[in-house]
Amino acid sequence: LTIDSSTGEIDVNASTPGTYTVSHILADGTVCGTDTVSKTFTINEAPASNAGADFSVCGTSGNLSGNNPASGTGIWSITNGPSGATVTDVNDPNSNITGLTQGVYTVEWEVTNSCGADIDEVQITVSEIPVIVTNGDQEICQGDEVTLTATASVGTISWNNGVTNNDPFTPTSSDTYTVTADNNGCTASEDVTVTVNDLPTVDAGVDQTACANHDPITLSGTPAGGTYSGTGVSGNEFDPSVGTGTYTVT
């Protein structure tokens, strides 16, 4: 307590809030002694509001961080921004705020007690999390080109491994590529796998000579399971009865 002992004047602003008992002692300078009168009074703390630092969120919700009032009560109110947002518990300094959409919100934290009210503001910048759509996994043959395509609901698109969106390229081996969308620091990513298949290597077998009345010749190209074509071919056999001449079987 800051008090002038001779005048009794109290400097409230320089005093610590609290309850005090002050005594005034009067002495008459005689043997009759002194007289004392006491008074108890309280200095209430002025309201102080701190809504916390401005912050950014991705998505539709965030957490507020106001101060816990030393005296009195606090209440949150949304004073600016897109519609639809709600403070879950308006009297909780650390309440959740939901229903956010892309934009900038101004939220006030007002602390009130018997001495009045104090207000502080916090700005919340909300960015939408992108939604990515790709053209899916790809399967190609060695030496073929492939084009990777992606779109995002918001933000900018970028691929890893030097891939450019919608730009054909020729991969030499199978790989997984990642596309990322960035919207003011709110990101999403998707993976696309490109499978590069080796070209088939085949051997049709050795050339053969047969008589026109020869039994059908079994074709034995490798690998097994291939499809044969050509004059005189049926399934995996060549029939020499087609007549004399030179025939090519593929």
Side-chain angles (χ1 to χ4, degrees):
L1 182 67
T2 300
I3 185 171
D4 188 318
S5 61
S6 60
T7 65
E9 183 176 301
I10 297 170
D11 187 345
V12 175
N13 292 326
S15 300
T16 302
T19 299
Y20 298 90
T21 299
V22 176
S23 298
H24 181 225
I25 304 171
L26 179 64
D28 63 4
T30 70
V31 296
C32 294
T34 60
D35 186 34
T36 301
V37 62
S38 299
K39 184 175 181 61
T40 299
F41 66 96
T42 300
I43 299 176
N44 291 319
E45 186 170 346
S49 173
N50 186 344
D54 297 343
F55 64 97
S56 299
V57 298
C58 299
T60 60
S61 66
N63 290 313
L64 299 167
S65 56
N67 66 311
N68 193 18
S71 65
T73 57
I75 185 169
W76 290 106
S77 58
I78 302 172
T79 60
N80 191 36
S83 61
T86 303
V87 178
T88 304
D89 184 348
V90 294
N91 299 120
D92 180 0
N94 303 117
S95 177
N96 188 243
I97 182 170
T98 61
L100 300 173
T101 54
Q102 183 159 311
V104 179
Y105 291 82
T106 300
V107 185
E108 289 184 348
W109 178 237
E110 180 178 0
V111 175
T112 305
N113 65 13
S114 59
C115 294
D118 187 46
I119 297 175
D120 190 35
E121 294 181 342
V122 61
Q123 279 198 338
I124 307 172
T125 301
V126 182
S127 296
E128 181 182 339
I129 298 176
V131 176
I132 300 175
V133 177
T134 71
N135 60 338
D137 295 341
Q138 306 289 314
E139 187 169 358
I140 61 172
C141 295
Q142 187 76 43
D144 287 350
E145 286 188 337
V146 65
T147 300
L148 299 184
T149 301
T151 58
S153 57
V154 288
T156 57
I157 288 286
S158 63
W159 289 87
N160 69 340
N161 292 350
V163 174
T164 301
N165 204 40
N166 294 320
D167 190 11
F169 68 103
T170 306
T172 58
S173 60
S174 299
D175 204 350
T176 297
Y177 301 86
T178 300
V179 59
T180 300
D182 189 322
N183 180 37
N184 298 322
C186 297
T187 61
S189 61
E190 292 287 340
D191 290 337
V192 173
T193 298
V194 177
T195 302
V196 180
N197 294 314
D198 291 331
L199 295 174
T201 300
V202 298
D203 183 352
V206 297
D207 295 342
Q208 298 193 45
T209 301
C211 298
N213 60 353
H214 194 282
D215 292 336
I217 298 171
T218 300
L219 302 172
S220 56
T222 57
T227 301
Y228 299 93
S229 62
T231 302
V233 173
S234 176
N236 67 337
E237 291 185 339
F238 174 78
D239 187 357
S241 66
V242 295
T244 58
T246 300
Y247 299 88
T248 298
V249 175
T250 301

